């Protein structure tokens, strides 16, 4: 695996993890917004 | 991976071996070892700040009555002592270990995202300054407790805004650190180093990083909603506007309980490296250790409401949370059994890292047992918010996480500095810490059983003796840590030269494949693991 592939893999992994972070952050607020309405 | 390193070697050769110097070495550092060092020193500074706060608390509690501080300042001290110790001291200490050790233990040249690593660290000092600056806001620090429960937090003074911003900043730093750790472990292991061949420290951090990615955004969401309730007219936690303050408790503890394991699991990892090294045997039950750690992490998401038995919930829910919490004792028992079995018939020696690991093993188990006591709903209804809880979580956090951090520091100090610490002084540090820790916290079990509530600056006369003993222990424990600082500085400045492998039984890559001290750039060519 060359350096470019390692970098691409790293970016993909990080993107998936950032999406999980965003899902939890916004998910919990949206859920509570819906509960209050 | 081979090609990757040949490529970087060709083009970056001029930089190799040239350590930048001066302050900019640290400000602009993308080197995992330098960043790890900064994390460790930062956490020690925060440990001292949080420790001073603890001593202010114990000074006031030395005798019944109000004599040293005002009650609102006392509440502020309990709040920021907790926040600083959890987010500023213990977590960054283990991130420091992760930065130093993970690339070396998996045969990688550095972390996957070195610049993000730099940012992760440099977010911490401003966040710490915010927490300290909150003390000087109009009305003083926010005396809301580290849990920042609504409606207290939605009505607190302006210090609360600084605290919220600090928690956001600390959270984003942790998230970036975790993403870096997961990516590094998943994508940058040396050829042949499968996941099930990794040192257990890497496994524990991989699992911890996933926990952080899942729960840190939840805490960020909770404090964001607190912020919008305070300033932007929302009513998430305001019953008058259709919200519910108990919802805050649910969301906080959905973060808060896994947070306990975010602190404890890397500590398990350190101990799982140290005990085999000083038993001169491989870790007993490696695979079961991995599965037990993962089980603890998964279960930690399912037990949050055991912190809220007295907040009101259906009896079915109380039963569920009680049984689910007790279930955690099973994988934890597997781990304790495996550590003991590792020592069984081993060729044991008791240098300082091993002593701290054994201290961890005994006292963390004791803290686990009091956790089991507290998991039983009818018992917890009696003991909730008493000093029994304070004693319980200090056995887990101090004798668990902090002792394990000390074990790790003494274990890897030769690798980091190239020098040996003074073994006699190290043993003194251990015994003083062990004795004074128990003097401080063991008696708090009795205070709690007798009904002394936590977070109060004054108390009834019948609690006087045990409080006096606890306060004396706290000062002894605090002073013992100055000895630790002296040992580390003496090691760095005038320690004897360390051999490449000072511990016979250490078998992970940083000991077997790298010289001591570890070079500025390690594993420019990855090792091949058979």
């Amino acid at each position: 695996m060359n350096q470019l592939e390692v970098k691409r893999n790293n970016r993909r992994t990080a993107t998936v993890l950032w999406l999980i972070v965003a899902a939890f952050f916004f998910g919990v607020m949206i859920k509570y917004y819906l509960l209050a309405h | 991976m081979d090609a990757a390193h040949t490529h970087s070697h060709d083009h970056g050769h001029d930089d190799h071996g040239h350590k930048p110097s001066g302050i900019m070495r640290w400000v602009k550092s993308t080197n995992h070892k330098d960043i790890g060092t900064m994390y460790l020193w930062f956490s020690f500074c925060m440990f001292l700040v949080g420790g001073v706060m603890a001593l202010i608390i114990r000074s006031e509690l030395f005798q019944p009555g109000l004599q040293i501080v005002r009650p609102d300042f006392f509440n502020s001290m309990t709040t920021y002592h907790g926040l600083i110790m959890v987010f500023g001291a213990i977590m960054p200490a283990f991130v420091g270990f992760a930065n130093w050790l993970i690339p070396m233990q998996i045969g990688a040249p550095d972390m996957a995202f070195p610049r993000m690593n730099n940012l992760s660290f440099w977010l911490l000092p401003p966040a710490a300054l915010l927490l300290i600056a909150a003390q000087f806001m109009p009305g003083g620090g926010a005396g809301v407790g580290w849990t920042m429960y609504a409606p207290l937090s939605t009505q607190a003074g302006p210090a609360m805004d600084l605290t919220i911003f600090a928690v956001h900043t600390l959270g984003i730093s942790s998230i970036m650190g975790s993403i870096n750790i997961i990516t590094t472990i998943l994508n940058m292991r040396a050829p042949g180093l499968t996941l099930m061949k990794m040192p257990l420290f890497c496994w524990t951090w991989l699992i911890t990083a996933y926990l952080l990615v899942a729960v840190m955004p939840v805490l960020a969401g909770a404090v964001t909603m607190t912020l919008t309730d305070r300033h932007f007219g929302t009513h998430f936690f305001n019953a008058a506007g259709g919200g519910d303050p108990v919802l805050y408790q649910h969301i906080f503890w959905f973060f808060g309980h896994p947070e306990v394991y975010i602190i404890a699991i890397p500590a398990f990892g350190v101990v799982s490296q140290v005990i085999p090294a000083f038993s001169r045997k491989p870790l007993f039950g490696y695979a079961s250790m991995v599965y037990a750690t993962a089980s603890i992490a998964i279960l930690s998401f399912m037990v949050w409401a055991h912190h809220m038995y007295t907040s009101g919930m259906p009896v079915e829910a109380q039963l569920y949370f009680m049984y689910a919490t007790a279930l955690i004792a099973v994988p934890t028992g597997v781990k304790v059994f495996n550590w003991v079995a590792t020592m069984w018939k081993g060729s044991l020696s008791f240098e300082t890292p091993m002593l701290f690991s054994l201290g961890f093993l005994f006292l963390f188990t004791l803290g686990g047992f009091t956790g089991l006591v507290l998991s039983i709903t009818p018992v917890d209804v009696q003991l909730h918010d008493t000093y029994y809880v304070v004693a319980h979580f200090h056995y887990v956090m101090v004798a668990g996480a902090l002792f394990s951090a000390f074990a790790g520091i003494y274990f890897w100090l030769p690798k980091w500095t190239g020098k040996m610490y003074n073994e006699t002084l190290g043993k003194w540090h251990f015994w003083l810490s062990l004795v004074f820790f128990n003097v401080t916290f063991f008696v708090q079990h009795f205070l709690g059983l007798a009904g002394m509530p936590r977070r109060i600056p004054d108390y009834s006369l019948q609690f006087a003796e045990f409080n006096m003993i606890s306060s004396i222990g706290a000062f002894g424990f605090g002073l013992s840590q100055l000895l630790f600082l002296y040992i580390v500085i003496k090691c760095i400045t005038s320690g004897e030269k360390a051999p490449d492998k000072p511990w016979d039984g250490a078998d992970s890559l940083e000991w077997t494949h790298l010289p001591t001290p570890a070079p500025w750039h390690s594993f420019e060519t990855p090792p091949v693991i058979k």
Side-chain angles (χ1 to χ4, degrees):
Chain A
M1 199 186 291
N2 65 32
Q3 195 171 22
L4 212 62
E5 280 176 289
V6 174
K7 277 189 169 179
R8 195 182 303 135
N9 277 346
N10 286 351
R11 274 199 296 268
R12 279 182 188 156
T13 309
T15 306
V16 171
L17 294 168
W18 277 115
L19 286 174
I20 295 171
V21 168
F24 273 101
F25 178 67
F26 292 109
V28 77
M29 288 197 289
I30 291 167
K31 185 190 171 191
Y32 275 30
Y33 176 80
L34 294 174
L35 274 175
H37 290 81
Chain B
M1 192 70 87
D2 275 326
H5 288 282
T6 310
H7 178 88
S8 70
H9 193 79
D10 289 340
H11 292 274
H13 189 77
D14 290 345
D15 294 324
H16 290 179
H18 290 285
K19 235 186 249 190
S21 57
I23 185 80
M24 295 317 276
R25 168 183 170 184
W26 304 100
V27 173
K28 298 194 327 195
S29 180
T30 51
N31 181 294
H32 72 99
K33 299 184 185 87
D34 277 358
I35 293 174
T37 303
M38 288 196 288
Y39 265 109
L40 288 165
W41 277 112
F42 172 82
S43 80
F44 187 75
C45 294
M46 286 294 102
F47 177 56
L48 293 184
V49 173
V52 167
M53 292 176 168
L55 293 183
I56 292 171
I57 292 168
R58 284 312 324 168
S59 301
E60 178 56 53
L61 294 174
F62 184 72
Q63 283 185 319
L66 296 174
Q67 42 259 320
I68 297 173
V69 295
R70 297 186 318 276
D72 54 343
F73 184 72
F74 183 91
N75 286 342
S76 163
M77 286 296 99
T78 58
T79 302
Y80 292 94
H81 164 72
L83 285 170
I84 284 173
M85 285 306 202
V86 169
F87 292 106
I90 305 180
M91 285 172 69
F94 285 107
V95 181
F97 279 106
N99 263 291
W100 251 104
L101 299 171
I102 287 173
M104 294 201 296
Q105 290 192 334
I106 64 169
D110 206 303
M111 299 294 279
F113 304 107
R115 279 174 288 186
M116 189 162 84
N117 206 12
N118 174 291
L119 182 60
S120 297
F121 172 77
W122 281 108
L123 283 173
L124 292 181
L129 286 177
L130 281 172
L131 288 177
I132 294 165
Q135 309 306 314
F136 304 100
M137 293 298 281
V144 296
W146 86 282
T147 51
M148 300 174 285
Y149 274 5
L152 210 49
S153 57
T154 52
Q155 296 165 4
M160 193 64 219
D161 298 317
L162 265 66
T163 309
I164 289 172
F165 190 35
V167 170
H168 273 135
T169 312
L170 293 162
I172 194 79
S173 162
S174 287
I175 289 167
M176 287 196 295
S178 307
I179 289 174
N180 222 335
I181 287 167
I182 294 172
T183 310
T184 306
I185 293 177
L186 291 186
N187 296 348
M188 297 179 71
R189 294 190 313 281
L193 186 70
T194 58
L195 283 173
M196 290 307 275
K197 283 185 188 165
M198 279 198 308
L200 210 79
F201 178 78
C202 296
W203 255 116
T204 55
W205 248 113
L206 180 63
I207 292 165
T208 302
Y210 272 113
L211 280 180
L212 276 163
V213 163
V215 301
M216 269 296 164
V218 176
L219 176 69
V223 294
T224 303
M225 285 186 276
T226 306
L227 191 71
T228 59
D229 272 13
R230 286 169 60 81
H231 297 296
F232 302 110
T234 58
H235 301 283
F236 288 111
F237 310 126
N238 180 3
D244 186 349
V246 177
L247 284 180
Y248 177 87
Q249 296 184 24
H250 280 289
I251 200 171
F252 179 84
W253 287 113
F254 184 78
F255 148 80
H257 195 76
E259 172 67 21
V260 174
Y261 295 101
I262 286 165
I263 288 168
I265 289 176
F268 297 162
V270 169
V271 169
S272 301
Q273 300 281 132
V274 173
I275 288 181
F278 292 91
S279 305
R280 283 124 183 120
K281 273 177 67 193
L283 184 69
F284 184 89
Y286 171 92
S288 68
M289 285 297 235
V290 172
Y291 298 136
T293 310
S295 306
I296 291 171
I298 291 164
L299 283 171
S300 76
F301 283 109
M302 304 176 184
V303 296
W304 75 91
H306 67 214
H307 296 270
M308 304 167 49
Y309 286 140
T310 57
S311 299
M313 71 177 84
V315 73
E316 293 84 354
Q318 289 182 342
L319 283 170
Y320 161 73
F321 283 110
M322 182 169 78
Y323 294 141
T325 304
L327 202 57
I328 297 181
V330 177
T332 312
V334 169
K335 295 185 81 74
V336 172
F337 177 86
N338 284 348
W339 288 320
V340 174
T342 302
M343 289 186 281
W344 181 253
K345 293 190 174 177
S347 178
L348 300 175
S349 63
F350 296 96
E351 286 88 345
T352 310
M354 183 63 160
L355 287 177
F356 270 107
S357 296
L358 291 177
F360 162 91
L361 194 53
F362 278 99
L363 298 176
F364 179 82
T365 305
L366 193 63
F369 277 135
T370 54
L372 267 179
V373 171
L374 288 167
S375 76
I376 301 164
T377 314
V379 178
D380 184 75
V381 169
Q382 292 292 315
L383 295 175
H384 187 88
D385 262 345
T386 68
Y387 260 79
Y388 192 89
V389 178
V390 177
H392 155 68
F393 70 72
H394 279 93
Y395 268 76
V396 175
M397 297 285 170
V398 181
L402 186 65
F403 274 29
S404 147
F406 284 143
I409 288 167
Y410 285 114
F411 185 62
W412 280 292
L413 209 50
K415 178 57 65 182
W416 297 341
T417 63
K419 294 173 181 172
M420 293 302 288
Y421 61 87
N422 184 316
E423 190 61 53
T424 310
L425 290 179
K427 284 179 176 160
W428 268 101
H429 176 223
F430 167 72
W431 286 110
L432 287 170
S433 297
L434 185 85
V435 170
F436 283 122
F437 168 81
N438 282 294
V439 172
T440 309
F441 293 109
F442 197 76
V443 292
Q444 293 183 2
H445 291 107
F446 305 132
L447 287 169
L449 287 167
M452 178 171 161
R454 63 193 284 207
R455 294 173 175 150
I456 52 157
D458 189 9
Y459 50 83
S460 305
L461 285 175
Q462 72 266 28
F463 304 129
E465 283 82 5
F466 282 141
N467 268 297
M468 197 174 280
I469 293 168
S470 181
S471 292
I472 291 168
F475 274 88
F477 187 78
L479 289 174
S480 307
Q481 306 324 310
L482 297 180
L483 175 60
F484 170 67
L485 180 63
Y486 173 74
I487 293 167
V488 172
I489 290 174
K490 191 164 180 290
C491 169
I492 294 169
T493 54
S494 59
E496 283 178 26
K497 191 177 180 318
D500 271 356
K501 195 165 166 245
W503 317 121
D504 297 342
D507 62 355
S508 43
L509 286 185
E510 80 275 24
W511 296 113
T512 55
H513 283 62
L514 287 174
T516 296
W520 173 247
H521 289 293
S522 38
F523 295 122
E524 289 166 24
T525 307
V528 177
I529 313 296
K530 288 176 183 156

